[in-house]
Amino acid sequence: MKTVQNIVIGFGKGGKTLAKFLAQQGQEVLVVEKSREMYGGTCINIACLPSKRLITEAARGTDFATAIQGKREMVAQLRAKNYHMLADEDTITVLDGTARFTGDHTISVTTASGQQEFTGERIFINTGAQPVIPAIPGLRESPALLTSTSAMELDSLPQKLVIIGAGYIGLEFAGMFAEFGAQVTVVDHHQEFLPREDLDVAAMVKANLEQRGVTFRLGVSIDQVATANGQAQVTISQDGHPDRIPADKILAATGRRPATADLGLENTGIAVDDRGAVKVDDQLHTTVPNVWAIGDVKGGPQFTYISLDDFRIIKDELFGDGSRRVSNRGAVPTSVFIEPPLAQVGLTEKQAQAQKQDYLLFKLPVAAIPKAKVLKDQRGMLKMLVDPQTKLILGATLYAPEAHEIINMVALAMRAKLPYTMLRDQIYTHPTISEAFNDLLKKPQE
């Protein structure tokens, strides 16, 4: 059994960045990745970048087959670049195989040529998450079943697509496939659409997607998936009345679960929660000394930039003063890449009301922004909440063109504890969406 200074299980964003950094410090690193199709991690291969590429292509009017081919070429380039970023380092070994813990600091790796055993002085679990397939009779066995991964590998556009789940992932795919020309129906057992969002924002999002041809069936029971005459059917019921929706493909967009089931954690003292997420403390330590968890595998927000910040926390512990913690990240911005994008940071108005937080509310319709007229997309609104005493920003919801870019400016102002007047009085280039902060923050709502 070989002893290695550092073992990283999984080639995801935080783990690969940590491996590169450790190698640059002259340390030995073993990176274990079970699939050659996942060099570089979830984001570049099956999530953020390929999905946003397809969303962009759909908005530009590119035909589906051409868009898929372009996506594949992009991913192949990124995958190769990421592989060589690590494999070309003298002190890094990239091992293709499936890792399984045999003890707190020992792993067995099953490769094409057999098993190899390793002891790690430090071990970093970076195995990510995997799609959840809901327990709907006939769904898992259906040849029409798609996940968020396989939906981006189709060679041809499904004419009729049913999406199970009206969450953020489901909406991104709904908008994208509808733009490509598919007939899209989204079904969800929740009656309320986007329950985390403010009612005015959720209503706008739903109306805009419906205008693009997306049909929503909310508050329904999803009873069965069957195949008849070569076509799938999704049986739903509402108030006791059944209905059948024909589908060429069925996309299960019902969330992702930490990928820990096959890690052999039962052979260790590493604790997991009821969803299988590895439990960590404020510095990402697991319940076993010198074993950390990075990224989606530990639960919480599943974003590549959170995984990158996990790297920063571990780097600071090992080579800095240890002051970086999960608890001092501050407000983390998010974006949903529908058209227009929906971006947020901090509190929504609904959350502020639930917390009985006093706030000043600022609102501006996108139609009032000159750049929106230039872009020929005047849908949406900007909302910002401000503490009436401190004048600090409590949160913002931006449903607007380029919202995914300018939300970072708001997040920076919040992190730096700048008063909202700094955004209000800033001199912006023109015409831009960001200059709308001048008008948005002139006067709060009565």
Side-chain angles (χ1 to χ4, degrees):
M1 180 177 291
K2 182 179 179 181
T3 297
V4 182
Q5 195 171 8
N6 301 281
I7 296 176
V8 179
I9 305 175
F11 209 133
K13 179 67 174 180
K16 73 183 181 187
T17 310
L18 178 62
K20 180 75 170 182
F21 179 79
L22 291 171
Q24 291 171 337
Q25 311 312 304
Q27 296 198 11
E28 179 189 22
V29 187
L30 172 67
V31 178
V32 183
E33 174 53 56
K34 68 179 181 179
S35 171
R36 294 187 178 191
E37 300 299 308
M38 290 298 290
Y39 293 149
T42 298
C43 181
I44 72 163
N45 289 290
I46 60 172
C48 330
L49 296 185
S51 66
K52 294 350 170 241
R53 169 70 177 251
L54 291 175
I55 289 168
T56 300
E57 295 281 42
R60 290 176 176 172
T62 307
D63 72 90
F64 186 75
T66 302
I68 287 290
Q69 182 58 33
K71 185 272 301 184
R72 288 171 177 164
E73 292 171 359
M74 179 195 76
V75 168
Q77 292 170 358
L78 291 170
R79 185 184 299 139
K81 178 182 177 181
N82 275 264
Y83 172 75
H84 287 289
M85 181 184 80
L86 298 192
D88 293 352
E89 288 283 343
D90 291 339
T91 60
I92 294 180
T93 299
V94 177
L95 181 60
D96 297 327
T98 301
R100 183 175 176 84
F101 280 88
T102 56
D104 282 348
H105 295 96
T106 57
I107 65 169
S108 174
V109 182
T110 303
T111 70
S113 57
Q115 286 194 334
Q116 300 183 42
E117 309 289 333
F118 299 93
T119 297
E121 295 177 10
R122 303 188 193 108
I123 299 180
F124 306 93
I125 305 172
N126 185 45
T127 50
Q130 54 197 15
V132 173
I133 306 300
I136 298 169
L139 176 61
R140 186 176 292 274
E141 302 78 25
S142 174
L145 173 64
L146 296 174
T147 66
S148 57
T149 301
S150 58
M152 292 186 288
E153 291 300 328
L154 294 171
D155 292 315
S156 59
L157 180 71
Q159 295 306 302
K160 295 180 179 180
L161 175 67
V162 172
I163 299 178
I164 301 174
Y168 301 124
I169 294 175
L171 295 186
E172 285 190 355
F173 277 103
M176 180 190 83
F177 276 104
E179 197 71 45
F180 275 124
Q183 179 182 323
V184 179
T185 302
V186 178
V187 297
D188 197 296
H189 68 276
H190 292 101
Q191 182 66 54
E192 185 178 359
F193 180 73
L194 290 181
R196 299 180 188 175
E197 307 299 334
D198 294 337
L199 293 178
D200 51 358
V201 173
M204 274 191 169
V205 171
K206 186 170 182 286
N208 287 334
L209 285 168
E210 287 174 334
Q211 287 172 4
R212 292 170 66 185
V214 178
T215 299
F216 290 96
R217 302 292 300 271
L218 305 179
V220 301
S221 170
I222 306 163
D223 302 324
Q224 183 182 359
V225 171
T227 301
N229 300 321
Q231 186 173 61
Q233 286 188 336
V234 180
T235 301
I236 64 173
S237 57
Q238 188 169 26
D239 299 326
H241 301 290
D243 193 9
R244 291 180 177 84
I245 307 172
D248 300 314
K249 294 293 180 181
I250 303 166
L251 170 58
T254 48
R256 294 172 63 84
R257 178 180 292 115
T260 57
D262 300 321
L263 268 178
L265 297 184
E266 66 274 10
N267 301 320
T268 73
I270 299 170
V272 297
D273 66 15
D274 56 1
R275 285 182 53 82
V278 177
K279 293 183 178 181
V280 295
D281 65 12
D282 211 23
Q283 289 181 292
L284 306 175
H285 304 127
T286 70
T287 49
V288 167
N290 291 323
V291 180
W292 292 257
I294 303 173
D296 297 353
V297 73
K298 69 184 191 311
Q302 295 185 0
F303 303 114
T304 191
Y305 45 88
I306 292 294
S307 186
L308 178 62
D309 198 57
D310 289 348
F311 152 72
R312 298 188 187 108
I313 291 170
I314 294 172
K315 172 189 171 183
D316 189 58
E317 178 187 359
L318 298 180
F319 296 93
D321 62 9
S323 61
R324 290 294 299 266
R325 306 286 174 111
V326 174
S327 58
N328 60 25
R329 273 188 177 132
V332 174
T334 64
S335 293
V336 183
F337 287 85
I338 51 180
E339 291 289 336
L342 172 62
Q344 289 184 320
V345 65
L347 296 178
T348 64
E349 189 176 7
K350 180 183 288 188
Q351 291 169 332
Q353 291 171 351
Q355 297 176 18
K356 302 189 184 308
Q357 167 73 54
D358 290 336
Y359 61 90
L360 300 175
L361 175 63
F362 298 84
K363 291 177 67 172
L364 183 74
V366 167
I369 305 173
K371 179 63 181 291
K373 294 177 172 61
V374 172
L375 296 173
K376 296 190 287 187
D377 189 353
Q378 300 182 58
R379 299 170 296 172
M381 72 167 71
L382 310 182
K383 298 181 71 172
M384 191 174 294
L385 278 63
V386 171
D387 188 304
Q389 303 301 318
T390 66
K391 309 305 179 187
L392 297 179
I393 300 168
L394 297 171
T397 299
L398 311 179
Y399 179 45
E402 301 176 3
H404 56 292
E405 294 285 356
I406 65 173
I407 196 65
N408 295 301
M409 189 185 309
V410 182
L412 180 61
M414 293 176 67
R415 186 174 183 85
K417 299 188 183 303
L418 300 176
Y420 81 95
T421 51
M422 291 292 292
L423 290 183
R424 183 194 66 189
D425 301 333
Q426 170 69 14
I427 299 174
Y428 301 94
T429 54
H430 174 79
T432 57
I433 296 295
S434 59
E435 69 179 328
F437 290 136
N438 292 151
D439 292 326
L440 169 67
L441 298 171
K442 277 181 180 177
K443 183 179 180 182
Q445 300 281 302
E446 297 294 337

